[in-house]
């Protein structure tokens, strides 16, 4: 049975109180319209950014194909001046790295300042597709200029996405190789289109695949949904799993090595018992 194709809900004029009290607790993606983002949506042209950014060096991803693959690394990182446009990902705070742009953009006040982790300035070439992945922090994707198509998958469907770490092996999500990835057809697909001024809320752990339909500028804002002590203090880029999850994965690896000491028939039986135990003790009982 093919997975469901569902639209991401869109709401206009959402206040901070509405978002925090009613929408945020649902932990589902949402497109917010009519948010006051400042003059960036009209000012951030190529010429303007080239003048304001000058020759400031940033790192960009350079790829020969539009469909970028983090697993096979079909791209390279290169230093560029901001006046030379490609797709770049400079993980930090745009307000500090590009102070002349600070007054142009207003961050939606949907989280406390002490929860803020980073803001990522993204300039995307037309047709570029970013691999399906999840982030460990909550995320607002602000589409400042241009258009994007975003496809999302629920964390509950992780078993259908053929994961390697935080990334999915399935690159062509619109026409997947179901002979190679048969379970992918069971994943529920949420989709939305973003235009200038739209803001997409992506909760932590939701998988997302981003396709730039035309040249555009965006800003990702990441913040901590969990208490600060839950995150890896050495995590510079905000992409390491919470410390408890990392410890659990290490314990599981040790358990699997211990199971390997048994003959195949016994190993299979006790592995299945472990899976059932995990499902019983750790899976959420709440239906999505």
């Amino acid at each position: 049975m093919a997975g469901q194709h569902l639209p991401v809900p869109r709401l206009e004029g959402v206040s901070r109180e509405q978002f925090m009290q009613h929408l945020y607790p649902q932990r589902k993606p949402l497109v917010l319209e009519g948010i006051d983002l400042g003059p960036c949506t009209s000012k951030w042209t190529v010429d303007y950014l080239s003048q304001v950014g000058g020759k400031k060096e940033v790192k960009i991803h350079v790829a020969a194909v539009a469909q970028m693959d983090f697993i096979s690394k079909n791209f390279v990182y290169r230093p560029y001046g901001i006046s030379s446009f490609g797709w770049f990902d400079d993980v930090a705070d745009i307000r500090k790295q590009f102070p002349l742009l600070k007054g142009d953009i207003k961050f939606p006040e949907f989280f406390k300042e002490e929860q803020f982790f980073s803001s990522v300035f993204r300039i995307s070439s037309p047709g570029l597709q970013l691999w399906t992945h999840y982030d460990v922090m909550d995320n607002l994707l602000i589409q400042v200029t241009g258009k994007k198509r975003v496809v999302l998958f629920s964390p509950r469907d992780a078993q259908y996405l053929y994961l390697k770490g935080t990334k999915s092996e399935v690159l062509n999500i619109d026409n997947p190789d179901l002979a190679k990835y048969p379970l992918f057809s069971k994943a529920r697909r949420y989709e939305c289109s973003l235009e200038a001024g739209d803001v997409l809320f992506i909760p932590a752990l939701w998988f997302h695949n981003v396709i730039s339909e035309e040249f555009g500028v965006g800003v990702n804002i990441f913040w901590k949904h969990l208490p600060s002590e839950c995150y890896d203090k050495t995590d510079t880029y905000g992409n390491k799993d919470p410390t408890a999850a990392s410890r659990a994965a290490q314990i599981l690896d040790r358990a699997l090595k211990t199971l390997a000491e048994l003959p195949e028939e016994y190993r299979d039986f006790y592995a299945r018992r472990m899976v059932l135990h995990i499902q019983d003790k750790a899976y959420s009982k709440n239906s999505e």
Side-chain angles (χ1 to χ4, degrees):
M1 182 178 68
Q4 292 176 291
H5 285 223
L6 303 166
V8 176
R10 305 181 71 94
L11 289 177
E12 187 173 359
V14 173
S15 68
R16 185 183 191 279
E17 290 71 26
Q18 287 175 308
F19 182 79
M20 295 303 299
Q21 294 178 16
H22 304 291
L23 302 172
Y24 190 59
Q26 296 179 30
R27 311 298 298 159
K28 291 186 176 181
L30 180 67
V31 178
L32 304 170
E33 300 175 340
I35 301 294
D36 182 10
L37 301 173
C40 58
T41 53
S42 58
K43 289 181 69 174
W44 284 9
T45 63
V46 172
D47 289 341
Y48 177 77
L49 292 176
S50 297
Q51 293 169 6
V52 173
K55 297 295 182 180
K56 184 176 180 66
E57 187 175 279
V58 296
K59 289 182 179 180
I60 71 169
H61 294 71
V62 179
V65 296
Q67 206 168 64
M68 297 177 68
D69 180 3
F70 193 87
I71 296 173
S72 68
K73 296 291 195 302
N74 64 350
F75 58 89
V76 295
Y77 293 100
R78 287 182 184 167
Y80 259 66
I82 194 174
S83 57
S84 301
F85 279 121
W87 185 96
F88 73 84
D89 175 350
D90 196 7
V91 182
D93 187 350
I94 185 177
R95 298 169 297 185
K96 295 177 181 178
Q97 288 185 308
F98 300 96
L100 295 179
L101 298 178
K102 179 179 178 181
D104 295 342
I105 186 169
K106 294 181 180 180
F107 288 0
E109 297 180 348
F110 290 160
F111 55 92
K112 297 178 181 178
E113 184 60 32
E114 58 265 27
Q115 293 176 283
F116 174 84
F117 179 77
S118 67
S119 57
V120 183
F121 192 21
R122 300 192 185 276
I123 298 178
S124 305
S125 301
L128 197 67
Q129 183 172 8
L130 190 63
W131 55 85
T132 302
H133 67 285
Y134 71 86
D135 298 303
V136 300
M137 297 184 189
D138 285 345
N139 175 10
L140 288 177
L141 170 53
I142 300 173
Q143 190 63 28
V144 179
T145 66
K147 296 181 181 179
K148 283 190 176 78
R149 177 165 64 95
V150 184
V151 177
L152 304 103
F153 301 95
S154 168
R156 298 281 183 91
D157 288 348
Q159 67 268 32
Y160 306 135
L161 299 180
Y162 297 87
L163 298 181
K164 280 195 175 180
T166 63
K167 288 85 178 175
S168 170
E169 291 184 28
V170 186
L171 292 182
N172 192 342
I173 60 172
D174 294 321
N175 187 27
D177 183 349
L178 295 181
K180 186 176 182 180
Y181 306 113
L183 295 179
F184 186 75
S185 63
K186 296 184 178 182
R188 289 162 294 175
R189 174 186 177 122
Y190 297 77
E191 188 167 332
C192 64
S193 294
L194 300 180
E195 299 191 7
D198 286 342
V199 178
L200 173 61
F201 169 54
I202 307 176
L205 308 184
W206 273 77
F207 297 88
H208 46 287
N209 184 292
V210 183
I211 304 100
S212 297
E213 296 188 330
E214 58 186 38
F215 177 89
V217 179
V219 176
N220 282 105
I221 303 173
F222 295 94
W223 73 95
K224 300 175 181 178
H225 171 59
L226 304 176
S228 293
E229 59 268 21
C230 294
Y231 298 97
D232 188 328
K233 291 181 174 57
T234 67
D235 188 2
T236 304
Y237 296 101
N239 56 10
K240 292 185 179 180
D241 289 319
T243 52
S246 296
R247 289 200 309 271
Q250 292 169 1
I251 293 169
L252 177 59
D253 285 340
R254 290 198 295 270
L256 293 174
K257 288 179 181 178
T258 304
L259 277 184
E261 298 173 9
L262 294 169
E264 180 180 0
E265 179 182 1
Y266 285 81
R267 184 170 66 247
D268 180 90
F269 173 71
Y270 286 105
R272 292 177 189 276
R273 281 192 57 188
M274 287 173 62
V275 170
L276 291 173
H277 190 57
I278 290 173
Q279 289 177 338
D280 181 55
K281 297 296 183 181
Y283 277 27
S284 173
K285 301 299 190 293
N286 297 323
S287 59
E288 190 174 282

